Amino acid sequence: KQWYQRRVRGLCFQILRASLAGGYVNFGVFRLYGDDCHVNAIDMFIKLLGSLPERALLEYPKLSVAYYSLMDVVTQDHLTLLGNVDNTVLVYILSTLAEGVASVDVTI
């Protein structure tokens, strides 16, 4: 069951990364028309983070690649949405990024 849950999370990270980085949508239009689906997608990502232990990111290489590639997209293009997160979530994100930088895995 745990393997399945981690695989689903990794798949969700990959799907969200593809939708955010694919250039399919101009995300500035969402705010212009009052559509909050972009914000909901980032909120879903944050909820997935809350259910994922930090150690799992380094224990499962496919999950870590999916997470760090999504974080790359989120921090480059959608950083303003991370300004509204809870302090505990921000600390979690920063600590996982620090672990990724300190990791010896070249795919991260």
Side-chain angles (χ1 to χ4, degrees):
K1 184 178 178 178
Q2 290 179 354
W3 175 86
Y4 178 75
Q5 290 175 344
R6 284 188 182 85
R7 182 65 187 142
V8 168
R9 287 182 192 126
L11 187 61
C12 289
F13 289 164
Q14 290 173 348
I15 291 170
L16 189 57
R17 183 200 174 282
S19 64
L20 291 176
Y24 305 113
V25 178
N26 182 357
F27 291 105
V29 175
F30 286 126
R31 189 176 320 139
L32 180 66
Y33 289 107
D35 191 351
D36 61 349
C37 69
H38 180 235
V39 175
N40 291 342
I42 299 296
D43 286 342
M44 186 263 318
F45 165 63
I46 291 169
K47 287 178 185 175
L48 279 174
L49 281 181
S51 66
L52 185 67
E54 284 185 50
R55 61 178 170 71
L57 290 174
L58 296 177
E59 289 177 6
Y60 300 98
K62 289 182 181 180
L63 180 63
S64 65
V65 168
Y67 171 74
Y68 288 114
S69 65
L70 176 59
M71 284 305 301
D72 183 36
V73 170
V74 169
T75 55
Q76 282 182 6
D77 301 328
H78 309 281
L79 192 58
T80 57
L81 295 176
L82 287 181
N84 299 330
V85 299
D86 204 25
N87 287 339
T88 56
V89 175
L90 189 59
V91 167
Y92 177 87
I93 290 172
L94 292 176
S95 66
T96 57
L97 292 177
E99 286 179 10
V101 168
S103 174
V104 294
D105 190 1
V106 295
T107 59
I108 295 179

